[in-house]
Amino acid sequence: KNQVEQSPQSLIILEGKNCTLQCNYTVSPFSNLRWYKQDTGRGPVSLTIMTFSENTKSNGRYTATLDADTKQSSLHITASQLSDSASYICVVSAINAGNMLTFGGGTRLMVKP
Amino acid sequence: GAVVSQHPSWVICKSGTSVKIECRSLDFQATTMFWYRQFPKQSLMLMATSNEGSKATYEQGVEKDKFLINHASLTLSTLTVTSAHPEDSSFYICSARTEWAGSPLHFGNGTRLTVT
């Protein structure tokens, strides 16, 4: 069964600090992995898209890593800002009919001043 | 970048009435659209997948006669919640992508449905 597990479920950090969110998956055959940021009451917004051959990809203060061998991904946020408070969702796509998507449960991040 | 417009952003309706939510891709052809619901502090739950011109595929446990999905064109999909009940109150989000396997999902901003 395809699964995506995210940890931690929730996280509170102080403004300016760094943090790392984890995503482990069992989706197979793997196509790509995406990290989304979802502000409260809004739709998710894509942060990064990673394919099998990519190990690291950055988008501003967000850096995603992918280890396709261990089926793990991380999202590192540098110098956090109050506006980073949101839910971060990991979504993994499989190479099959319909390119099935499997969603992680998300990590709720709160950045405090 | 690609934009998905969802309308309305919020709606309040009385129990027993039906509500239609629209999802439009504004600058690309959305071969596939997805509908999700999200309860507070929980992740997105996929309800159904719709491909233009064909019947939607519903996830297990989602009543297709209650949540009617129509994907009549490459830019529009609608979700109709029929005979709404208070337990249907939730945040409904659509997403869309092109036929290319690696294309990203583009999400709408969601619709907050409150059934009184």
Side-chain angles (χ1 to χ4, degrees), chain A residues 34 36 38 43 98-99 104 108, chain B residues 38 41 43 97 103 105 108:
Chain A
R34 307 177 179 116
Y36 289 88
Q38 185 182 16
N99 301 108
R108 290 184 295 281
Chain B
Q38 185 178 36
K41 298 185 179 180
S43 188
R97 69 177 181 196
S103 64
L105 282 175

Side-chain angles (χ1 to χ4, degrees), chain A residues 21-92:
Chain A
L21 314 180
Q22 298 290 342
C23 174
N24 298 338
Y25 61 93
T26 60
V27 175
S28 182
F30 175 84
S31 176
N32 56 67
L33 182 148
R34 307 177 179 116
W35 283 94
Y36 289 88
K37 177 187 178 187
Q38 185 182 16
D39 293 313
T40 302
R42 308 282 288 182
V45 173
S46 177
L47 294 176
T48 64
I49 301 172
M50 302 192 72
T51 59
F52 185 85
S53 59
E54 296 176 304
N55 299 120
T56 303
K57 183 174 284 188
S58 292
N59 177 2
R61 295 180 296 103
Y62 300 103
T63 299
T65 66
L66 175 66
D67 186 332
D69 292 330
T70 62
K71 298 186 177 181
Q72 295 179 325
S73 176
S74 67
L75 180 69
H76 186 76
I77 304 174
T78 304
S80 61
Q81 300 177 358
L82 299 179
S83 59
D84 292 331
S85 297
S87 288
Y88 292 84
I89 304 171
C90 175
V91 182
V92 183

Side-chain angles (χ1 to χ4, degrees), chain B residues 84-104:
Chain B
H85 291 285
E87 57 265 31
D88 298 324
S89 298
S90 186
F91 193 55
Y92 293 86
I93 305 175
C94 72
S95 68
R97 69 177 181 196
T98 68
E99 61 183 350
W100 176 51
S103 64

Side-chain angles (χ1 to χ4, degrees), chain B residues 59-114:
Chain B
E59 295 299 301
Q60 191 173 8
V62 179
E63 299 175 59
K64 62 179 181 181
D65 293 330
K66 180 168 184 62
F67 299 98
L68 301 178
I69 292 173
N70 185 296
H71 193 162
S73 75
L74 284 171
T75 59
L76 174 64
S77 176
T78 60
L79 167 68
T80 301
V81 182
T82 63
S83 187
H85 291 285
E87 57 265 31
D88 298 324
S89 298
S90 186
F91 193 55
Y92 293 86
I93 305 175
C94 72
S95 68
R97 69 177 181 196
T98 68
E99 61 183 350
W100 176 51
S103 64
L105 282 175
H106 302 284
F107 287 85
N109 271 323
T111 297
R112 172 71 60 191
L113 170 64
T114 301

